[in-house]
Amino acid sequence: MWKEKQLHLPLQRTAQKPTKMNDNNAQLNESFRDKVATVDEKGKRIWVYPQKPQGKFYNARTWLSIVYFILFFTLPFIKVNGHPLFLINVIERRFILFGQIFWPQDFFIFGLGMVLFVVFVALFTVVFGRLFCGWICPQTIFMEMVFRKIEYFIEGNAAEQKILAKAQWNTDKIFKKSAKWISFWALSFLISNTFLAYVIGIDELRKVVVDPLNKHVGGFAAILIFTTVFFFVFAWMREQVCTTICPYGRLQGVLLDRNSIVVAYDHERGEQRGKFNKKETRTIGDCIDCHQCVKVCPTGIDIRNGTQLECINCTACIDACNKMMEAVNLPTGLIRYASEANISDKKKTTFTGRMKAYSAVMAVLLIAESFLLVSRTDVGITILRTPGQLYQKQPNHQLSNLYNYKLLNKTYQEMNLHFEPENFKGRIELVGEKNLKVPKGGDLTGSLFVYMDSTDIRHTETDIKIGVWQDGKKIKIVNTSFLGPFTEY
Ligand code: SF4
Ligand code: SF4
């Protein structure tokens, strides 16, 4: 079953061209397919102790993660005109993006946005592989840039962590483990609170924190549940999230092709691998078989086996290999961002037919999404004839129809609206209401009568238009119909 572990790309040239290698290596290259790097023969998890990476990619990722954390932890506090800049309140189905309120009625925009996002992810992956996983994914960023760094700080580097794990419980171990787990729990608590702030808003969160517990049992329970989940993910699940749970990782096999740019080992240059001996002129490949790329890998794989679904493109092996190449005076870039076509055929990256097709779909969806966003109005209006009602005869040869209306105010200001006949002679009368005051961010529902002279009715169903006005300005025209008798009145 594990034979499917490696993505079947030609990148596994080390396995495909055993003639280039000695028998032992050929054997090794095939054996990795039989198991997951983090599971032993008995099915037990192999805990990964990656060495701390050092290098320009790691530094760049550190700086990017700082920007990321600043954004993540400050965005819920930012308000525009007293309202959150972002709110993803799935419970009350209230969404605010860049200060704009989106209602359930706007969900088609979200729906299309989601389709766009999925197509974008597919296209992006075809071209750039799992770049997202290494540089943007919150799981990787929090794991590698926060939790792992705390672990290095408290428990030391990989070798020290291993020794500590095997050591008997003593004061030092109790202190270090407690310090780590308390820090992890505190951080998970902070992430949980921030996460909740995106859902219920910072003001509600403040109430949950400040008010007596019995007033916000649900909110408090949510904080505890999220904290536990985050703690479990970052303290125990770790790379298993990427290698066994994340659906995106599992999709790599169908999304990547020979032209996808991934973190790749240059097997053409590296093989036949062999130890470095400074006294000898090197006649074999450039890989000095130092295993540094394996030691830093947070998912425990050997990138020299080719592109594998466990690889989250974190670039740690690039940094590690470059450091070794510099140390032995060989060119860097033995492991680098490259496609199989780049490496095997020495080809430049081309815009393939698949990429063109994805781009075309992307362009169409982007245009559609932009149109929906631009044409989105601040007010949602529905006027529908009341079900089960025909027409009513009124004095003075008049007929009336009853309608239900629903007005939705998507702004932060109260709206004063009124209805006017648009293409018919007659009048509109609200039932029970004098004014149409729609509260900010709220809705107003009610009924209205449309009156028309029977002499103006020529059909059993007449198309009519109702104008919706706000502060002397017509903001929308609603189409509906007026029912009359079958015969001329
Ligand atoms: S193989 Fe390299 S890029 Fe992939 S996860 Fe391991 S260290 Fe990161
Ligand atoms: S770090 Fe580079 S040189 Fe060392 S084993 Fe990995 S690929 Fe070979």
Side-chain angles (χ1 to χ4, degrees), residues 263 293 296-303 310-318:
V263 172
C293 51
V296 292
C297 180
T299 61
I301 59 167
D302 186 342
I303 190 68
E310 291 100 324
C311 177
I312 53 167
N313 277 222
C314 72
T315 68
C317 54
I318 301 183

Side-chain angles (χ1 to χ4, degrees), residues 308-326:
Q308 295 146 78
L309 66 81
E310 291 100 324
C311 177
I312 53 167
N313 277 222
C314 72
T315 68
C317 54
I318 301 183
D319 279 333
C321 189
N322 282 349
K323 198 172 163 198
M324 295 315 295
M325 291 292 103
E326 280 164 7

Side-chain angles (χ1 to χ4, degrees), residues 408-420:
L408 196 67
N409 181 355
K410 302 179 190 174
T411 70
Y412 293 116
Q413 284 88 38
E414 187 182 74
M415 275 183 171
N416 285 304
L417 304 177
H418 72 273
F419 298 128
E420 292 279 347

Side-chain angles (χ1 to χ4, degrees), residues 273-292:
R273 68 188 74 162
K275 295 289 177 199
F276 179 73
N277 187 341
K278 61 180 175 189
K279 291 180 189 151
E280 287 174 6
T281 310
R282 197 165 179 86
T283 52
I284 54 175
D286 279 357
C287 174
I288 59 171
D289 212 11
C290 62
H291 279 258
Q292 286 307 306

Side-chain angles (χ1 to χ4, degrees), residues 116-127 248 255 354 358:
L116 187 69
F117 178 72
V118 170
V119 177
F120 178 82
V121 166
L123 174 67
F124 190 83
T125 310
V126 168
V127 184
Y248 180 58
L255 293 175
R354 185 149 67 130
Y358 281 179

